[in-house]
């Protein structure tokens, strides 16, 4: 930046660090054009990130951590625990790079890649400021979703910011009995504590909450589960996203048959719960929900 005084350059050099990402590998889905990137970070770590094309524009699914320490049993991102948090600039760089590489403008962002955004709260918050600022990327907060596995302390912090983003909560089970077996975070904050936090969040922000529910055959896909789920969501203005469980080679979880997924949806509808089945994108390049990893060589 030769257009600013040397003294200021020196000061910036001492105080600031903008981390970039480098494309280490790139895979394009032959089915739907979804692009998965493996990015190399400044310290030699790796993360993955996905660019998806929808009718309404381009969406980038960003990672917020290298790895994840939440240990959900069905997910590939946390298999080797957490290596480190991403800096706000590293989260931002995933969007800038995907835009540049494809010569497009990214209109939507989902914080649904590798990592738990509320376990990296300060950088996620900073990222939300930068991505939405008109001098930043100018992507409106209404076009951004943040997904959490249920970090209640983070939901409380986030509600204080009162941002118009969409909060997605990965519920995946209607009872503590089932949730405890697949999501260790439930032992710290159980479903009641989580849903109470969602209610408080909604009272402050007045935003509809999205609940993610990954359907796993024989684990959480029964009619009883659908009925229990509908019961628990009473009093929350929400939408349920049903995600057929995506394959991860290290575990044996399977998605239910599509007819059973549709049945589950109709059981919810019968109880007045709005649910959609999430379209699987990038299935041929392991770019679907829960399939992102931190290692080179697995692409
Ligand atoms: N850590 C955050 C955001 C990233 S994961 C969270 O857990 O919410 C994005 C979504 O994919 C979450 O709802 C997550 O539970 C889900 N997911 C993880 N593994 C999956 C799998 N194998 N199949 C389908 N969905 C999965
Ligand atoms: Fe982490 Fe989310 Fe994967 Fe759970 S589902 S291990 S919180 S990335």
């Amino acid at each position: 930046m030769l257009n600013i005084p040397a003294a200021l350059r020196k000061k910036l050099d001492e105080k600031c660090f903008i981390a970039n990402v480098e494309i280490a590998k790139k895979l394009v889905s032959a089915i739907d054009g979804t692009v998965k990137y493996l990015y190399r970070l400044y310290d030699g770590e790796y993360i993955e990130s996905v660019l998806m094309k929808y009718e309404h524009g381009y969406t980038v699914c960003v990672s917020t951590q290298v790895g994840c320490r939440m240990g959900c049993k069905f997910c590939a991102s946390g298999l080797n625990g957490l290596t480190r948090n991403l800096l706000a600039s590293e989260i931002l760089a995933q969007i800038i790079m995907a835009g540049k590489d494809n010569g497009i403008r990214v209109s939507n962002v989902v914080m649904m890649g590798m990592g738990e955004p509320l376990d990296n709260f300060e950088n996620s918050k900073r990222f939300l400021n930068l991505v939405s600022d008109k001098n930043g990327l100018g992507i409106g907060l209404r076009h951004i979703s943040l997904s959490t596995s249920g970090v209640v302390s983070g939901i409380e912090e986030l509600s204080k910011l009162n941002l118009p983003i969409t909060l997605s909560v990965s519920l995946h089970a209607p009872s503590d009995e089932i949730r405890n077996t697949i999501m260790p975070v439930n032992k710290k904050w159980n479903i009641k504590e989580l849903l109470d936090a969602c209610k408080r969040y909604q009272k402050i922000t007045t935003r509809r909450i999205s609940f993610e529910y990954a359907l796993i055959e024989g684990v959480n896909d029964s009619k009883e589960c659908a009925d229990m789920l509908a019961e628990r969501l009473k009093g929350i203005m929400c939408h349920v996203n049903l995600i057929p469980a995506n394959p991860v080679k290290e575990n044996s979880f399977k998605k239910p048959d599509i007819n059973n997924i549709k049945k589950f949806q109709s059981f919810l509808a019968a109880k007045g719960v709005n649910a959609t089945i999430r379209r699987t994108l990038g299935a041929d390049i392991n770019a679907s929900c829960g399939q992102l990893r931190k290692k080179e060589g697995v692409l």
Side-chain angles (χ1 to χ4, degrees):
M1 287 189 276
L2 296 174
N3 55 347
I4 58 172
L8 179 56
R9 286 209 301 271
K10 187 164 175 284
K11 210 169 172 181
L12 285 174
D13 209 23
E14 285 162 9
K15 283 201 152 186
C16 308
F17 175 58
I18 302 175
N20 217 334
V21 297
E22 239 175 73
I23 300 174
K25 277 184 191 168
K26 171 181 167 183
L27 285 182
V28 183
S29 166
I31 304 172
D32 49 51
T34 295
V35 187
K36 178 163 86 165
Y37 291 99
L38 177 75
Y39 289 126
R40 190 182 304 108
L41 308 180
Y42 72 90
D43 58 354
E45 294 294 341
Y46 291 90
I47 50 160
E48 290 187 333
S49 193
V50 179
L51 173 72
M52 296 162 284
K53 186 167 179 359
Y54 290 102
E55 268 160 30
H56 55 267
Y58 287 95
T59 297
V60 172
C61 176
V62 293
S63 290
T64 53
Q65 296 181 311
V66 182
C68 181
R69 63 181 178 134
M70 308 313 288
C72 305
K73 297 284 189 287
F74 42 80
C75 174
S77 302
L79 283 169
N80 297 304
L82 175 70
T83 305
R84 71 166 172 87
N85 284 330
L86 291 188
L87 298 166
S89 54
E90 290 174 315
I91 309 175
L92 199 65
Q94 298 168 54
I95 303 168
I96 298 171
M97 193 57 105
K100 262 194 202 162
D101 188 47
N102 296 278
I104 48 118
R105 183 185 179 271
V106 176
S107 54
N108 293 68
V109 176
V110 292
M111 299 170 81
M112 294 188 182
M114 184 162 51
E116 166 53 59
L118 298 184
D119 189 39
N120 183 12
F121 192 87
E122 284 308 312
N123 287 306
S124 293
K125 173 175 146 189
R126 209 179 150 104
F127 161 74
L128 287 169
N129 278 331
L130 294 168
V131 76
S132 57
D133 195 289
K134 66 175 180 359
N135 295 317
L137 294 193
I139 301 175
L141 290 171
R142 286 175 199 280
H143 298 268
I144 300 177
S145 297
L146 181 151
S147 179
T148 179
S149 57
V151 176
V152 166
S153 56
I155 296 174
E156 301 290 356
E157 283 303 300
L158 193 64
S159 65
K160 289 183 198 154
L161 304 178
N162 195 2
L163 303 173
I165 58 170
T166 299
L167 178 66
S168 293
V169 175
S170 300
L171 194 57
H172 304 325
S175 69
D176 288 325
E177 203 188 349
I178 302 175
R179 202 166 190 262
N180 282 340
T181 65
I182 51 177
M183 299 182 74
V185 66
N186 200 62
K187 294 187 182 141
K188 182 144 189 199
W189 294 286
N190 65 24
I191 296 182
K192 180 173 185 319
E193 289 166 318
L194 173 57
L195 294 181
D196 284 349
C198 290
K199 285 176 191 160
R200 288 193 293 275
Y201 180 90
Q202 186 153 75
K203 209 166 171 193
I204 293 172
T205 63
T206 69
R207 303 278 301 164
R208 187 172 79 157
I209 292 177
S210 267
F211 287 100
E212 286 154 304
Y213 195 98
L215 279 162
I216 311 171
E217 188 182 64
V219 174
N220 61 2
D221 61 341
S222 65
K223 179 172 188 305
E224 293 70 53
C225 282
D227 291 345
M228 241 193 291
L229 179 63
E231 192 57 38
R232 296 208 87 143
L233 295 182
K234 269 190 186 155
I236 306 179
M237 186 186 38
C238 65
H239 183 86
V240 174
N241 279 312
L242 298 172
I243 317 174
N246 294 306
V248 171
K249 66 177 183 328
E250 289 85 350
N251 70 49
S252 53
F253 293 126
K254 283 198 179 66
K255 64 168 146 246
D257 183 88
I258 182 66
N259 291 321
N260 291 340
I261 295 176
K262 286 184 180 156
K263 270 189 201 159
F264 195 90
Q265 183 186 27
S266 61
F267 295 145
L268 289 177
K271 301 254 169 180
V273 176
N274 221 323
T276 42
I277 302 170
R278 187 176 287 174
R279 195 154 64 98
T280 302
L281 291 173
D284 54 336
I285 53 168
N286 279 339
S288 308
C289 297
Q291 295 187 314
L292 303 190
R293 295 166 184 262
K294 63 176 183 181
K295 272 198 190 136
E296 193 186 22
V298 295
L299 273 169

